[in-house]
Each structure stands twice: as C-alpha cells, then as structure tokens.
C-alpha cells in the first residue's frame, strides 16, 4: 500500500488518510477505538499500531497513540480544562507503568522564540520539579513526591547540537527510568490545530515536530521508555492549499455536474505530483510559511497549562491541586 | 470598473489586481512610477491616486503611496538596512513638509501579544522621544531636536476603546502638527510578506491592518495630516489558497492543453464566488487563521528597527546615528 | 508637627512614622482601625484622614486608605488568594459607590520594561474589558456587565507625555464615571514589600509610585472620582540603609550599654541630615538603585492576578469566576 | 591572614578588601597590574593569583582574572561598546590558547526569569553558533569558522539538576576543547554594578553567581579548561547597608571629631559580627532582597550584546562584524 507523504505528526490523521483511500474499512496492523465524552465535546481515540504491517500502512512505529480531540481545548473554559487534565493524568499513567520511586526526566522540546513551537518550553516551566528538593532538603517536602527533573534545551539552530545528543548526555548523568517529551506538531487538517493532544509511548520520531529533529527521542536511542505528548499548533501552507483545493473541487463537481477532460485530469492527477506542484508555486516561501490561528499566543499558554497539570497529576498522584501551585515557582 | 475585494492593504497590490484584469494598461486616475536600486535588490514604487476615478478604480483614498520592496528587508543584512533607513528617512520628509518646530505624535498601532501584529508597538519602543526632555530639562538636550511624543494604545479587544478615540483624546491635549502611525498589514502575495514597506500620506483606513480598525486615523477624523507606515506581515489563509489555486490551474492548463466544460466552469466562475467558497470551506477557522513566515519574531524585530531608525532620522535630521542610540532608553 | 520626608507611598507607614515620634498616641485628624483575619495572616487597616490637620500630620490627602497586609500575598497560596480577591472586591465597592450603569476606565500605571514597576500594566492585561462588546455586539454578552475600558499608557520617559495628560484626553472622549488606577509603590519597610495592598479613594498623588509622576491622577485634576490601588514592590536603597542602621544602633546601644559623645552625636543628629548623608554616599547611584526581592517577577504576576480578579469581581458582580476567565483574552 | 567573608565574586574586590585591612601594600601570592585607557574611562586590571598563599589571602583559585571597569559599560554609547568588544575579544584569546580547529561549548548560566540573573541566557542567544552548520551543510558556510555550540540550561530550581551535571553530560557527548561560561555576579560596591566585566581562566566556583551553584564549572570537574565571564548585576542588601554605614561613620568621625566609648565600640566591633547583625535585622528578607539599578533590563541587554560580540570576535576572528549579524538568528 502506497503511503501518501503529506506531512502529519498525528497517528490518527495518518490512519484516516490511508483508510480514506483504500477499499477496506480496516487498515491491517492498526486497531482504532473511539470513546465519546459528550460533556466536553471530547473524543478519546486510541490507535494501536500492532505490527510491521501497521507500520508500513500508516508510517508510524509500533505502539499506542491516544488522541484527545475537543474544540474546548483551545477555548478559555476552566471546567472543561479540569476534565482534560484529569484524563491526561490517567492516560499517561496507563501508557507507561512506573514504580513509585521511578525517576522521571521531562523534556520540553521546541523553540521558545517561535510562538507555535514554544509549547514544550512552556509546559516545562509549569512542572512540579522535585529532584533537587528530594536531594538537598528531603525533610522539607512530602516524601510521597516522585523525583522529577526537566530541561528545555532549545532547537538545533539555537544550540548547534541535536536535542537528542543533549538529552543523551543528561540521561547518562541523571539515569531516569522514564522520559516524557512535549512537542508542538504539524497537522493536516485546520480543524485539528490546537484542538488535539496526542500521547504515545513510541517517543518522538526524527523529522517530526514543528522544528524538524534529525534524531529520534525514543527507547531505541535512549535506552529507556519515552512518552511523547504533542499538540498540532500549525499546518503547513502547502497542505492547507492542497486540502482546501480538493474540497473546493469536490464541491464544484457536485454543484455543476459537468465533467470533461480537465476535470478528469484533476481527478486523476497523481496526488503527490499535485502537492509538489503546490509546493513549487509557494516556493521559495514554502519552507518558511506556516498557518496558525490569530490567538496562537493565548492558546499555546492554555494548552501548556493543561498538559503541565496533567503531567503533574500523573507523576505526583498524592499532591492536591493547590499544593501543586505551591511547588511551581 | 468592478473592484475585486480580495483583502490587501497595499495600494500597489490593489493597482496590480485592477490592471491585471483590465484591457487598458493604465488605470485611470492612478499614476505609477518605479525606481530600481540594484545595489539592494530594491524597488521604490510611487503610486499616486489623483482623483475620484482613481479612488473608485483601486479602492484607496487620494494621496501618495510609496512602496519599498526588497527581499533584503527580511534578511539580517545591516548594510542593506542602513540604506533602507536612509531612504525611509528621506521619503518621509518628502511625504509631508513639516516646519522645524512642528510637533509630532507617533502612534504604534497593533497588538503586542500577537507577533505579526506587534510591529507598531515595537517601532514605538525604539523612537527618540523628546517632548518631555524639551519641556522639563531643555538645557540638557540638543536644541535642534524636534518635539516628538508617542503612544501604543493597544487594540479594541484589549482596551475596549477604538484606537481612534484614544488618539483623538491625546491629540486634543498635545496638539501635534503631524501624526505618524505604524501598523502591520495584510498582503495578497506571499512574496510581499515582510519584504515591503508602504508609506502614505493618506493615513490609516478603517478595516485595514492585521487587527481591523473600525475608524480611520486620517486627516478627516483627526484634523491634522497623518502619515501611515505599514508592512504586510501576514496573508490571510483564504487569499493564499485562492491565489495558489489560480496559479496551479494556470500551470495545469498550459501543461495538459486539455480543456472541456469543467475547466471552462473553473475559468468562468465568478472570482468573488470562488473566494467565498474557499472562505466557507475554511470556516470556522477562516476568521482566525493567518499565514506567516516561521521566523516572524526575528523579522518583525528587524523591520521595527529599520522603520524606527528611518523615522528618527527624518524627525531629528541633526542627530548622528550614535547619538540616536543615546536617546533610546 | 514636622513631617519627616522619608519616601513612602503608604498612608499606614506615614501614620506610623508620625506616631512613632510623637508623645501622643493618636495623630490628630487621622483615624485608624485594624481588623485581624487570622485565617489568612491578614490585617485590614483603615486609615482615614479626616481634615487638614490630618493632611499636615501625615502628608496624605483627605480620604480613606484601606490596607491589606498579609505575608501570604507574595506566596503561591491559591486559597488565600481567593480570600484576598473576595475582600478586595468588597472593599472596592465600598470605597466608591457606583450606579449599575456607571462607566469605568481602568488605568494600569507604570513601566512594563521594569519588573517591579510593571504591576499596573499586568493588572490591566487581566481585566474583563467590556465597553466594545456592549457597543458592537450587545446581543452576544450578558447585559448585566458594566461598561469597562482600560489603558496602560506607559511612563513619561516612554511616551514623552505626562500620564495625566493622556488620561485626561481619554476621559474627555470616553466620559467615564469612575477611574481605577493601579500602580507600583515604594515602601519604607522591607517587610511590606509585596505583602501590602493599599486602596484609596484619593487617587494617585504627584511624585508617588515607582516612576515618579509629576501630575496627580485625582478628582481635582480629572473631574471624576479616582480609586488608586497600589502595592509597594520596592524600597529605595537610601531608606533601607537608613532604617537598618537605626535598628542596628539601637541594638548596639542596648547590648553595650556604653554611651558617650559619639553616640549622643548619632542620637542627636538631625534625621533628615543623616538621610541626606546616606544619599550622598550612595550617589550617583542613589537615583537609580532599588531594593527588591529576588522573586519579584513571579510575585508581581501573582499580585497582578489577585488585584485584577478583585477589580473584575467588584465591577461585574454577577459574573461567575469561570465566566470571568472566558472574557479575558 | 584572616579573610573577611563579605560576599563578592570579583577577584579585584577580594584583593581590595584584604589590602585595605593589612599593613603591607602587596598581598602575598597575588600580583596586580592596572592599565588605563582614558578614551573610554576604562581600566583593565589584571589580578594573578600565583600560589596557595594568594589563594588563602583572597579566597580565589590560582589563575588570571582580567577586569574591565568603565562607567560607559552601562551607558548607551555604541563607540565605547565597540572598543570594549574589541578588548574582550583580544583578552579572551589570550586567556586561553585554542587551536584553529578547537571546539568550543558556550554556557549561558543563570535564570532567564530573573532580570539581573538573565545575563548568561541573553549572551547565549546572540552567539554565532556553527557546530550544526559545519556538520550538516559545510559547503554553505565559511570554512574558517570554528565549531561553536551552546546551551543555557537554567538553574537548579528550574531543572531539578545541578547545572554542572547537565554540562558534564553534554561535554561527554560533544567533547569540546574549551568551555566559556557566562554568569551574573554579586559585587560588594554599588559603583561596580553593571560597570565591570571579569574574565578568568579559573572557571565558575561553587557558591558564586547570583543563583548560588553548588558545584563548580571548572577544569577540575569537567576535565577541560573553563573561561568564565561575569558581570556584577546586583549587590546584596546586607552588604550595601554594611558598607554605606561604614562610610557614614567615617564621615561623621571626621566631621565631629568627637569620639568616646560608643565610637570605639563601633570601631572595634568585629566586622563579621556587625555584618551578621545587619543580616539578622534584615531577616527574613535578607535571603531574598537584592539591590539593583532601575534600568537593569536595558543594561543587561547592552552588556549581553557587548559580551556576546566579544566572544563572537574571539572565536571567529575571520568573520566581519556585518557577517556576524548574518549568523545570529
């Protein structure tokens, strides 16, 4: 099965694309289950890539991908946010078992200078970091707290180093049992931007994220499990044009009921070719344009809060909400 | 002549759109002259809207629109920037004659929380502000300095007040002889984003800018001349899709040399209708999506520096470059 | 009674200084009452300057000064903060009666570039601003909302204009019934920094605040009542040295029980003279040094949140906490 | 010789304190030479700690400490800044010989959330980082560029990890030949704040800096030479009170020519005891108060620019000023 390489970091989108094209309803090697929570206009979608057939089909590694989708994620709705925090906390705990004294390193990926790529650094700044307290003043803190440290190293263009190199160096010193990495992603559909959180136990793949890593942050490279949490905060301009155009042509086709050689040509044109043509038209800006909502600054702040609190709740289950605030500097 | 209402704040783009459609080469009521400065890959384009015929043709008020276009505007090239600063300083002085003791109020329009709309506030923060020095410590400063004050009031959603109301109030108290307003704009072509500076003596029109003013900042409303300086920092998503699609279809037409009813339909569809269709497909995100380059943060900083220094040079012609730095807090 | 002019913006400190020196327990023309709320280590102190005698005694205008003092104001304690917000909301409503359709303009004073002076701008950014909604989309919002607009104009050195001039201009256009101005203050005692909120119906006096206004924002100048809310975020270096030194000498006197001409000299030296001597020793840095806590960034954020929510609750009593969040962009 | 432990990170201050107290003019084991450059009101002071006697005397490790002192460092004087950049570039090259293909890691120490501690992160953000370019696109860049990478990891309270641990991890991966670490320091004299740059080949000692490291960043711990560049951006409150008070008492003594038991007591009081007394009086705020100039935000920006350009010039001697700008994102 040929995989059409439009850029998406979301397993659910990759799966939809493949499914949409094929004859069969199910993609082999991939299991999908969906749970609706109507209170919060929420869908929790579980994509499991079971074997190499699944890997080949949707281009994502073997593992579990949990996706929360709700338009309320980008709204200023604190009741809904509280519900999302609770769900994230629970799902994270289920994605990766961790003993009570397991040590965690959280990594905020991305570039703090580029608003839609600043999600990781912003989550990092709101975590309950405890490793130094447990080490230097154990008598002063709740002994049920887990040892958590964190870092937000910046991107290749800022440091001159692959993020993976830096994290490997830190892992060698700190010897954590688990890494949780947070990253801004690229989506294919405009409607998913800032309304979707993906959590996976497969880590961060090379080439994913807004900032294009060259080296994966995963168990294969780092020797310990890596949970990745991501939110699509941008769609790339070529994808937006491509997909909107397809929808437009479909609409026209229905409306005018006229066809002919040009329409057939449009229908039959190799999708990859059309996408490349669009990229060329946009060039030389294609590499540097992105599409993002006007309120991206405020929305990234909200998403960072939700994810950070979800992580805090998952890692320190005995800490009450108000105590969490006390630990965040 | 019907004017196709795709969103552009640039007189040169409005003129191009009209010219592109018509039979005649010249747009009646509009004069255009272009000067090339090859050293800096620069074009200085002068659009003059002479009379009501011109106003009707391109939808912009009577007055002069000077546009600097150079890809180096968005690059980190300090020699080119120095040249642009010099040109901006000179052109501003020619756009509006001002006596040596003329009092100037500079207004930085836009929303400092939204990166591509923060151009105005960032220019404002780099101006040589002198009014208070001339008033409270005249003996300590160079008497050749002109009285300059400034404000960056924020947008309607932040203050609850029309920017025009605030500026009118301040004008009534300060009684300036000239206003210079800086604003981020929307362009139609991706290639113009961050590579174009427009300066005009017609002020800021209602509905223009990234943030959509309801009331114009112009001589009609404020009683004194208003120079507006703007840079397109975004294109809206619907425009990008629309224009890229047109180019794609043209490319295909040439390549395949096949036509037929569907192509004719596409060719003949009312442009406004197609644009509306695209807006509907993008909806509900159409209002909130914008397309901007990845390095918008750094680029807006650079553009703000160039424009601020150009204004400083125009308003304080006797101040040397290094002294300008001394006056900027 | 001579008033010793050490810099303080707090009525309660001015009153303490005078009281500390005199023979009588009560300061004539000034009434003080204190309420303790032990739950939150809180004191609510009410200073009323009744007549000209009081004005002369403590150097503050006739009016009411309500001071909240609690060390928890600077801690990350959300339960305590909720209590403070409630009290601020209530006290503000009592300081100035306002009809349901009274129009309010909130002014965030201070310099956003200087952390301890950024309190006003930060409060402003978290207010429920409604004037534009009531005007342009009345059908979409709760009709019980009051018309609130706001501005944070920046300081004299940034705009070249007295803040008072700008506000007067805006008041003339908007015609509000009440102004609420928020400002960072200077305290005399280190222990009051970031632990004290003063609310007064006397407005902002010339020369007060971290940034030294030349013109008062008060009913006399603006023609409408002005409530001022302030938090001391700095102490000036000369005051800190002066007061610590006095305490040190007292401690030594008690400890060594030795006196003699040098001690008598120290005792008898004119306080103003000693303070001037300290300023001279610190000079030329005296004008530019301030003393502030290490965590000033985080603390100003917390205080801004508490004050903004207190104002929101006072101005929109029918808005629930979670709805307030929806209105803040 | 007893060393009075008032907090200073500057070798020149430590040396002055010891010298000021003793009978001898020279401190044993310490060589000092001073060069005046009158053009820029600049002193370049070279302190060499030669042996263990020197270490004991002034409490600083064996090595070279070069101090630039000029009031123009904190002014907005671009001609002077250009001169300082040149001198820093030259002195850095002399502090540590480095082969042309030597690999450098630059470390921006400190907390980006606390203005006076943000010097290191701000310098880091303006460096010409080349390692990734040399590795991934060697054909596109000037081959005379040296391999430079950098990191600004944040402080213990933010990451939960000692900065030293993180840097050790990164050093193990990257294997640099030299580390350059930039840090904000504490000074003893108000006049040195923001007017002094210290460069040393002894690295960063435990307990130094605004943020109090527990582990040194030096050759002993990291196995490679470490150059440390620091600027005092704060003085602690207790030191300010202590020193101002000493000056005040000296002034009074001269003026009144009266002595007696109290004066003698003050004269004879153990200095350490008096300092402790002051700390107690200031307590509990002593740990959290610092004294810093009002314009610290702008000044730290300027100092960061000067130091970053000095480092850039030292590490990439063939790069022209304008090309340096091109490489900084």
């Amino acid at each position: 099965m040929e995989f059409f390489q439009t850029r998406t970091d979301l397993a659910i989108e990759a799966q939809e694309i493949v499914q949409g094209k094929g004859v069969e309803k199910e993609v082999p090697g991939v299991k999908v289950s969906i749970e609706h929570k109507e209170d919060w206009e929420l869908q929790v979608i579980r994509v499991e890539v079971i074997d190499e057939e699944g890997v080949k089909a949707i281009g994502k590694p073997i593992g579990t991908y949990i996706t929360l989708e709700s338009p309320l994620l980008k709204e200023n709705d604190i009741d809904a946010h509280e519900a999302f925090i609770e769900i994230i906390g629970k799902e994270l705990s289920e994605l990766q078992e961790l003993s009570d004294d397991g040590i965690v390193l959280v990594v905020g990926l991305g570039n703090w200078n580029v608003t839609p790529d600043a999600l990781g650094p912003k989550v990092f700044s709101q975590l309950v970091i405890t490793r130094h307290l447990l080490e230097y003043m154990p008598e002063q803190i709740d002994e049920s707290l887990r040892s958590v440290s964190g870092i937000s190293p910046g991107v290749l263009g800022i440091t001159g180093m692959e993020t993976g190199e830096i994290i490997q160096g830190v892992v060698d010193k700190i010897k954590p049992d688990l890494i949780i990495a947070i990253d801004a992603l690229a989506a294919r559909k405009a409607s998913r931007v800032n309304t979707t959180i993906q959590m996976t136990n497969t880590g961060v793949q090379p080439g994913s994220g807004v900032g294009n890593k060259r080296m994966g942050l995963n168990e294969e490279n780092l020797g310990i499990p890596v949970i990745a949490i991501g939110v699509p905060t941008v769609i790339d301009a070529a994808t937006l044009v491509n997909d909107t155009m397809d929808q437009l042509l479909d609409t026209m086709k229905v409306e005018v009921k006229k066809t002919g050689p040009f329409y057939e040509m449009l229908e039959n044109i190799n999708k990859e070719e059309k996408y490349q043509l669009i990229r060329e038209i946009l060039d030389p800006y294609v590499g540097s344009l992105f599409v993002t909502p006007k309120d991206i600054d405020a929305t990234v702040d909200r998403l960072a809060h939700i994810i950070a609190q979800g992580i805090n709740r998952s890692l320190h289950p005995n800490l009450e909400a108000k105590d969490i605030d006390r630990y965040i500097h």
Side-chain angles (χ1 to χ4, degrees), chain A:
Chain A
M1 185 179 298
E2 170 238 356
F3 176 61
F4 172 37
Q5 272 298 1
T6 302
R7 173 78 183 287
T8 177
D9 292 326
L10 296 174
I12 181 65
E13 287 198 336
Q15 193 268 345
E16 283 173 2
I17 294 164
V18 176
Q19 197 178 39
K21 289 168 59 189
V23 245
E24 68 279 87
K25 256 226 121 94
E26 298 222 335
V27 178
V30 178
K31 276 210 285 198
V32 180
S33 70
I34 302 184
E35 195 183 340
H36 293 270
K37 312 219 171 185
E38 277 169 35
D39 279 3
W40 311 111
E41 307 174 34
L42 176 69
Q43 288 193 17
V44 180
I45 309 167
R46 214 168 294 264
V47 175
E48 297 208 43
V49 178
I50 298 162
D51 53 26
E52 281 305 319
E53 208 175 10
V55 173
K56 259 181 83 180
I58 71 165
K60 300 285 167 195
I62 291 176
T64 304
Y65 302 82
I66 297 164
T67 306
L68 268 61
E69 279 194 22
S70 167
L72 298 180
L73 270 170
K74 65 175 168 47
E75 302 302 325
N76 201 350
D77 183 327
I78 51 173
D79 293 338
H81 292 184
E82 176 54 33
F84 301 149
I85 290 168
E86 196 61 38
I87 292 167
I88 292 170
K90 234 185 56 198
E91 295 288 352
L92 283 178
S93 304
E94 281 173 26
L95 260 184
Q96 178 61 40
E97 241 174 288
L98 190 63
S99 67
D100 282 359
D101 57 353
I103 295 173
V104 177
L105 174 69
V106 187
V107 181
L109 297 168
N111 185 345
W112 45 78
N113 292 324
V114 176
T115 311
D117 198 23
L119 180 74
K122 288 194 173 190
V123 169
F124 165 55
S125 74
Q126 297 178 54
L127 295 173
V128 175
I129 296 293
T130 56
R131 182 174 174 274
H132 58 307
L133 303 174
L134 288 163
E135 198 152 317
Y136 298 115
M137 43 181 86
E139 70 291 343
Q140 282 182 34
I141 72 159
D142 182 346
E143 58 178 21
S144 78
L145 287 176
R146 180 190 299 288
S147 171
V148 176
S149 52
I151 191 165
S152 190
V155 296
L156 182 66
I158 287 181
T159 64
M161 300 180 274
E162 278 285 338
T163 306
E165 291 177 296
I166 298 172
I167 300 308
Q168 261 183 341
V170 172
V171 164
D172 290 352
K173 287 286 151 203
I174 304 300
K175 309 215 177 302
D177 300 299
L178 172 69
I179 286 179
I180 299 178
I182 303 99
D183 202 6
L185 306 177
R188 192 184 156 85
K189 276 199 199 162
S191 63
R192 281 219 170 84
V193 167
N194 295 340
T195 64
T196 304
I197 297 177
Q198 173 175 277
M199 294 175 281
T200 173
N201 55 11
T202 61
V204 178
Q205 303 318 311
S208 68
V210 171
N212 262 337
K213 287 98 205 148
R214 274 181 183 80
M215 170 182 159
L217 283 184
N218 47 36
E219 189 160 3
E220 196 187 329
N221 289 334
L222 296 171
I224 48 168
V226 180
I227 290 181
I229 306 178
V231 174
T233 57
V234 301
I235 33 178
D236 75 46
T239 304
L240 180 77
V241 172
N242 185 77
D243 293 2
T244 313
M245 187 169 159
D246 282 352
Q247 279 183 267
L248 183 66
L249 293 178
D250 286 352
T251 309
M252 286 176 163
K253 183 180 156 190
V254 171
E255 276 186 16
V256 297
K257 279 171 198 144
K258 283 179 196 160
T259 55
F262 189 78
Y263 177 76
E264 274 153 34
M265 181 272 294
L266 274 175
E267 265 294 81
N268 295 326
I269 188 173
N270 179 292
K271 280 194 178 222
E272 182 62 14
E273 225 172 86
K274 187 173 78 204
Y275 183 67
Q276 286 311 326
L277 217 53
I278 291 171
R279 292 181 70 92
E280 276 164 36
I281 289 169
L282 291 172
D283 179 85
Y285 295 95
V286 70
S288 67
L289 281 181
F290 62 78
V291 185
T292 199
K294 284 225 174 80
D295 58 353
I296 184 71
D297 301 67
T299 311
V300 166
D301 281 349
R302 261 173 235 145
L303 286 162
H305 173 75
I306 293 172
I307 294 173
Q309 295 303 332
I311 295 174
N312 287 334
R313 219 164 280 183
S314 164
L315 296 182
H316 310 292
N318 298 327
L319 211 54
E320 281 180 58
K322 66 166 191 170
D323 293 318
I324 282 181
D325 287 308
R326 274 182 236 258
Y327 279 101
I328 300 169
H329 57 103

